[in-house]
Amino acid sequence: MDGKQVILSINHKSDTPKYQQLVNAINDAISENVLQRGDALPSVNTICKGYQLSRDTVFKAYSVLKDNGVIESVPNKGYYVANDTKKVLLVLDTFKAYKEVVYHSFVNNLPDNFITDVQFHHYNIHNFKTILNNSKGKYYKYVVMTFDHKEVPTVIADIDNDKLLLVDWSIYSNSQNNYVFQDFGKAFYDALKGAEMAFRKYEKLIFLYPTYTFHSKETIVYFEKYCGDFQFDYEILTDPKAFQVEKNVGYLSTSDRMLGVFLEQCRDCGLEPGVDVGFLSYNETPMKKFIYKGISVISTDFQELGNKAAAFVTEDKPMQHYVPTKLTLRESL
């Protein structure tokens, strides 16, 4: 066989187009260092004979790889591996401040020959499907934040399980998936326990869970359990327009937008956060320790989440990990 001796996996009974299988197989061979920069690929004729593929199929696969910068052609000599760069797809929901922490932690822990493409689905299933369907076979690994939509499992099922890492939320995951998740249930409940004495300063607790949030509803269940177990009077407020800050109330919010409204209303009403009213914010960001006199937060460790995701990409080992959730008390509560 001309070119480097490699064994490529082509399944003639698969629903995946054969040209795409060939693209995936060569990308895998490069990612696993079976093929390296400068190595000659088998000729079109060799691939055709060895794998019972048409010339058009092989030409299409090589054209895709060439367009993606993976291989290059040399006239009268053939095709060669152009580089050994490994491309990773990171799919996030939105680019909020705490997602920036995930992103920087992730990319800063990857070797120089890894390139990260970042896409955002904005909780839109059409965006989600388009991003992942268009990325098939183009990436070494896929790191994906999912969301609550019935079509999500079908979309992610098309990605090889050993190449896919689900991050942040366990929704629609299964026992075979690789994942790095935060726990919106018991870990959230346990972290709330540390705020009991701060909450006791207030007559009632109100969970600000605006209708526009995509935060896990599991937190509402465990918030209600917490209030029941510790005998707090409580309320769930979902209409952001109905929010009016009240004295002697402690607030928990999943929305930084509501944090801004809270602080503005406190200023207008002459209420002192941490004294007259309390506020506990979900999700740590770099600025919350500096806002006002410091905003109390309940949050997972987004830096560790990014670190673990990078480890999955570089170490080629299965990963199933929950990142701890912790409470940080500051002046706002």
Side-chain angles (χ1 to χ4, degrees), residues 202 246-249 270-278:
Y202 308 106
E246 301 176 51
K247 189 175 182 179
N248 297 322
V249 172
L271 298 175
E272 181 77 9
V275 179
D276 303 310
V277 290

Side-chain angles (χ1 to χ4, degrees), residues 107-115 310 313-314:
V107 298
N108 289 340
N109 280 280
L110 294 178
D112 291 341
N113 65 319
F114 282 76
I115 296 175
V313 170
T314 58

Side-chain angles (χ1 to χ4, degrees), residues 11 14-24 57 60:
N11 181 357
S14 173
D15 291 334
T16 303
K18 294 182 181 64
Y19 85 88
Q20 187 63 59
Q21 291 188 54
L22 183 54
V23 169
N24 295 350
T57 295
K60 185 171 184 179

Side-chain angles (χ1 to χ4, degrees), residues 236-296:
I236 310 294
L237 182 64
T238 60
D239 182 1
K241 295 181 181 178
F243 173 67
Q244 179 59 54
V245 67
E246 301 176 51
K247 189 175 182 179
N248 297 322
V249 172
Y251 295 93
L252 168 64
S253 177
T254 61
S255 166
D256 287 349
R257 198 184 312 176
M258 294 305 298
L259 169 58
V261 174
F262 167 82
L263 291 173
E264 185 176 24
Q265 289 191 10
C266 284
R267 182 193 61 196
D268 294 344
C269 297
L271 298 175
E272 181 77 9
V275 179
D276 303 310
V277 290
F279 199 95
L280 176 60
S281 179
Y282 217 110
N283 293 325
E284 178 72 290
T285 67
M287 291 303 297
K288 283 182 181 174
K289 67 177 69 174
F290 303 111
I291 296 173
Y292 188 65
K293 297 178 182 179
I295 303 300
S296 295

Side-chain angles (χ1 to χ4, degrees), residues 80-139:
Y80 295 81
V81 178
N83 60 68
D84 57 3
T85 297
K86 295 177 173 64
K87 295 182 68 177
V88 180
L89 180 64
L90 176 62
V91 181
L92 303 176
D93 43 20
T94 57
F95 200 73
K96 296 181 179 178
Y98 60 92
K99 302 297 169 54
E100 187 173 3
V101 175
V102 174
Y103 170 76
H104 285 295
S105 176
F106 178 69
V107 298
N108 289 340
N109 280 280
L110 294 178
D112 291 341
N113 65 319
F114 282 76
I115 296 175
T116 303
D117 288 346
V118 186
Q119 300 276 356
F120 301 93
H121 58 67
H122 300 287
Y123 303 100
N124 181 296
I125 191 60
H126 175 72
N127 291 346
F128 188 76
K129 290 164 70 173
T130 299
I131 291 168
L132 291 179
N133 288 339
N134 289 344
S135 71
K136 289 179 183 177
K138 295 181 179 179
Y139 292 93

